[in-house]
């Protein structure tokens, strides 16, 4: 085996809170204004990273964006010291303060779209941070995320970093949450599968009517161009607008793929036959003998149960990659075990004749309450062995690095954060102090602007 898929999980930042910022994301609205548990959230995330690493997969970690984002507040005309800025915004614009404090960069499936070197024209791994322009609190992520990615994948021979797409609705880009890759082996050419929610320029393509479609066809096409992908290896498909209206705000809430498997809900796509035909046709171009389409019927799991349990926001991973006994497993949130129709479906699935043989249930409830499941928390990066060596080594989760990060969380994070706590200027100091130390633990250099003054 020379190719691996590395999951780079987002470390939950010290200001994790429930502000109800994501219209169209049912869990975010449902838990708005609740009290969060930042320490538990970060520890849940770290335990998931360790669990995946214990299953034999290399596991990476990405630092969070620095919050609160005082730079944006200054751009908006707030002046004075950091404390004065926070005090003013807390008094006059609490909703703006909440957006600047969001720890949403933890969902690294939205950090970027990544194309492995076997797919790209110049033979490098390409990264484009997602502009996330549909939501204020997320639209402030791409510049910092880009800087963090450059500090982790810091080698121009192997890694190419692009600027995020123009920050306009027509190019709404939510990153890898709407991107899946199929391949025979991780370091061999694959099919890049882009799923979009609407088109900005083609008026006849159906779109949702209730909730926003965050990601456009035009964004996906631009990424394919930037990354130098071959048309014969790309498939673009429209998400079913009806499910976006039921809370499926990203494709990774209704479908997940890995190697030769696409696991998806019957209602995931606007035209399922087209998706299957296109993927089958292009599978031959990349040496995939047979694609497995595992379609979950509505009569077994409703869209509502899929959204509540996050059945499809599971990580579909290959265990014993490259060995004779290689098989797939799902890393599922515990909510899938608690939902009777989903649990019964999964029990049947693991006994059926498909590559998916195991389900590992993980508690990421703190993230789930904001609509972020196991798959939202990770950015997949397929690498060959040379590229693995070129990644910043401190950003891999070893048992030692796990302990260091766990203790760092223990030392710096609050147990609880209520919405009114965001007005406390001490929270800014605590957050920046923690993140300053984190950049040393992860060997990132001064990636945050508060370190550059
Ligand atoms: O963008 N929630 C995130 C969840 C992102 C999940 N990612 C994937 N499906 N890949 C979002 O809606 C909620 C924040 C709040 O309400 O406080 C939030 O941003």
């Amino acid at each position: 085996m020379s190719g691996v898929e590395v999951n780079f999980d987002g470390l939950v930042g010290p200001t994790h809170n429930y502000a109800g910022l994501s219209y169209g994301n049912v869990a975010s609205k449902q838990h708005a204004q609740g009290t969060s548990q930042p320490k538990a959230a970060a520890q849940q995330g770290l335990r998931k990273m360790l669990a995946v690493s214990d299953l034999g997969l290399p596991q990476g970690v990405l630092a969070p964006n620095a919050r609160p984002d005082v730079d944006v507040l200054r751009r908006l005309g707030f002046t004075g010291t950091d404390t004065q800025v926070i005090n003013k915004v807390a008094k006059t614009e609490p909703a703006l303060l909440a957006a600047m404090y969001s720890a949403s960069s933890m969902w690294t499936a939205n950090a970027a779209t990544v194309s492995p070197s076997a797919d790209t024209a110049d033979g490098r791994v390409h990264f484009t941070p997602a502009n996330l322009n549909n939501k204020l609190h997320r639209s402030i992520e791409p510049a910092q995320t880009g800087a963090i990615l450059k500090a982790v994948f810091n080698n121009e021979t192997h890694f190419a970093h692009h600027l995020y797409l123009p920050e306009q609705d027509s190019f709404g880009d939510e990153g890898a949450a709407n991107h899946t890759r199929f391949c025979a082996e991780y370091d061999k050419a694959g099919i890049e599968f882009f799923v979009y929610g609407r088109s900005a320029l083609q008026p006849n393509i159906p779109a949702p009517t209730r909730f926003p479609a965050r990601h456009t066809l035009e964004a996906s096409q631009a990424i394919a161009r930037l990354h130098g992908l071959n048309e014969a290896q790309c498939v673009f498909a429209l998400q079913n607008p009806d499910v976006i209206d039921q809370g499926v705000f990203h494709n990774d809430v209704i479908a997940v793929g890995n190697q030769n498997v696409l696991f998806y809900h019957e209602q995931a796509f606007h035209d399922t036959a087209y998706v299957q035909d296109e993927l089958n046709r292009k599978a031959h171009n990349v040496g995939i003998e047979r694609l497995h389409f595992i379609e979950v019927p509505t009569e077994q799991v409703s869209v509502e149960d899929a959204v509540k349990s996050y059945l499809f926001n599971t990580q579909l991973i290959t265990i014993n990659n490259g060995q004779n006994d290689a098989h797939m497993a799902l890393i599922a949130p515990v909510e899938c075990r608690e939902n009777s129709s989903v649990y019964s479906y999964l029990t049947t699935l693991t006994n059926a004749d498909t590559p998916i043989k195991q389900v590992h249930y993980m508690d990421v409830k703190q993230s789930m309450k904001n609509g972020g499941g196991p798959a939202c928390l990770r950015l997949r990066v397929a690498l060959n062995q040379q590229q693995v060596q070129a990644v910043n080594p401190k950003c891999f989760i070893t048992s030692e690095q796990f302990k260091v990060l766990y203790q760092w969380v223990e030392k710096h994070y609050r147990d609880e954060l209520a919405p009114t706590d965001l007005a406390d200027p001490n929270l800014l100091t605590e957050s920046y102090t923690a993140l300053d130390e984190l950049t040393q633990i992860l060997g990132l250099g001064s990636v945050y602007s508060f370190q550059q003054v």
Side-chain angles (χ1 to χ4, degrees):
M1 169 197 60
S2 55
V4 288
E5 180 177 84
V6 189
N7 288 284
F8 281 85
D9 279 39
L11 190 56
V12 179
T15 66
H16 160 63
N17 71 93
Y18 298 125
L21 301 173
S22 280
Y23 179 65
N25 167 344
V26 181
S28 154
K29 283 288 161 198
Q30 193 186 337
H31 296 100
Q33 305 304 316
T35 295
S36 65
Q37 297 178 308
K39 185 179 284 181
Q43 292 177 338
Q44 287 169 359
L46 281 167
R47 281 196 292 271
K48 172 167 93 72
M49 297 183 218
L50 188 66
V52 172
S53 148
D54 285 346
L55 288 169
L57 276 77
Q59 173 69 50
V61 59
L62 293 178
N65 278 207
R67 295 287 178 264
D69 195 328
V70 182
D71 296 342
V72 171
L73 293 173
R74 291 189 192 284
R75 270 179 75 188
L76 296 174
F78 292 95
T79 53
T81 62
D82 284 354
T83 301
Q84 286 166 337
V85 168
I86 295 298
N87 285 340
K88 280 182 209 165
V89 184
K91 217 176 273 162
T92 59
E93 308 265 7
L96 178 60
L97 187 68
M100 296 304 114
Y101 255 116
S102 177
S104 54
S105 66
M106 73 174 89
W107 299 296
T108 52
N110 305 119
T113 305
V114 184
S115 295
S117 58
D119 297 352
T120 62
D122 69 357
R124 295 190 293 168
V125 184
H126 283 242
F127 297 81
T128 302
N131 62 23
L132 300 171
N133 81 321
N134 190 259
K135 302 276 180 265
L136 170 63
H137 68 294
R138 304 224 59 183
S139 70
I140 60 175
E141 293 175 34
Q144 281 197 48
T145 297
I148 291 165
L149 288 171
K150 281 183 184 161
V152 178
F153 302 95
N154 182 11
N155 180 314
E156 285 186 10
T157 309
H158 294 297
F159 307 122
H161 295 275
H162 301 275
L163 182 64
Y164 42 89
L165 300 181
E167 300 152 273
Q168 205 275 338
D169 208 34
S170 302
F171 295 102
D173 176 16
E174 299 278 319
N178 294 318
H179 176 251
T180 303
R181 184 169 177 268
F182 302 96
C183 59
E185 291 171 49
Y186 290 116
D187 60 345
K188 299 286 179 317
I191 307 171
E192 301 214 6
F193 180 45
F194 294 88
V195 181
Y196 57 94
R198 70 188 171 90
S199 165
L201 302 176
Q202 296 183 38
N204 296 330
I205 294 184
T209 51
R210 182 176 175 218
F211 290 146
R214 301 190 194 183
H215 194 117
T216 66
L217 168 62
E218 290 72 17
S220 295
Q221 289 169 329
I223 299 283
R225 272 190 303 271
L226 281 168
H227 291 195
L229 303 182
N230 180 341
E231 237 176 83
Q233 292 166 228
C234 291
V235 174
F236 299 90
L238 177 64
Q239 215 186 330
N240 177 357
D242 295 343
V243 297
I244 297 180
D245 279 339
Q246 292 171 69
V248 181
F249 56 96
H250 290 136
N251 179 59
D252 71 2
V253 176
I254 200 86
V256 59
N258 176 44
Q259 290 198 307
N260 59 354
V261 173
L262 177 59
F263 177 53
Y264 62 103
H265 192 274
E266 180 187 359
Q267 295 187 53
F269 306 110
H270 174 60
D271 186 345
T272 310
Y274 169 83
V275 168
Q276 293 190 353
D277 290 349
E278 278 294 284
L279 291 176
N280 274 329
R281 195 164 67 81
K282 295 192 170 172
H284 292 289
N285 301 338
V286 298
I288 297 176
E289 275 170 32
R290 178 193 160 198
L291 276 171
H292 295 262
F293 293 104
I294 306 178
E295 181 173 298
V296 181
T298 307
E299 63 175 27
Q300 283 184 42
V301 177
S302 64
V303 171
E304 192 187 347
D305 278 337
V307 172
K308 271 193 205 146
S309 67
Y310 265 33
L311 167 62
F312 299 97
N313 203 262
T314 40
Q315 289 177 242
L316 180 56
I317 58 174
T318 302
I319 311 265
N320 296 342
N321 178 26
Q323 296 171 34
N324 288 340
D325 58 346
H327 58 278
M328 293 193 195
L330 287 170
I331 306 293
V334 288
E335 282 77 355
C336 287
R337 202 169 47 193
E338 292 160 4
N339 181 303
S340 58
S341 66
V342 170
Y343 186 63
S344 126
Y345 174 81
L346 283 172
T347 311
T348 317
L349 173 69
T350 44
N351 291 312
D353 184 22
T354 83
I356 304 177
K357 297 296 175 211
Q358 301 163 13
V359 183
H360 299 274
Y361 295 95
M362 297 297 310
D363 178 359
V364 287
K365 279 183 183 281
Q366 282 292 310
S367 167
M368 284 286 285
K369 285 165 86 175
N370 254 340
C376 299
L377 286 161
R378 62 93 173 94
L379 179 67
R380 295 188 279 188
V381 185
L383 299 170
N384 64 31
Q385 288 305 323
Q386 270 184 319
Q387 294 157 352
V388 169
Q389 298 304 319
V391 176
N392 178 334
K394 292 187 171 169
C395 295
F396 283 109
I397 293 291
T398 56
S399 56
E400 191 46 42
Q401 198 62 327
F402 169 81
K403 275 188 219 142
V404 172
L405 289 168
Y406 208 85
Q407 277 159 14
W408 168 81
V409 170
E410 196 62 51
K411 175 174 156 198
H412 291 284
Y413 281 49
R414 293 193 185 187
D415 290 322
E416 293 199 335
L417 211 48
T420 47
D421 294 335
L422 303 184
D424 172 9
N426 290 330
L427 185 60
L428 175 148
T429 315
E430 286 167 31
S431 174
Y432 289 3
T433 305
L435 294 174
D436 190 39
E437 199 176 307
L438 181 69
T439 56
Q440 289 174 36
I441 297 173
L442 297 180
L444 299 177
S446 300
V447 273
Y448 299 123
S449 67
F450 70 80
Q451 297 175 302
Q452 292 156 16
V453 282

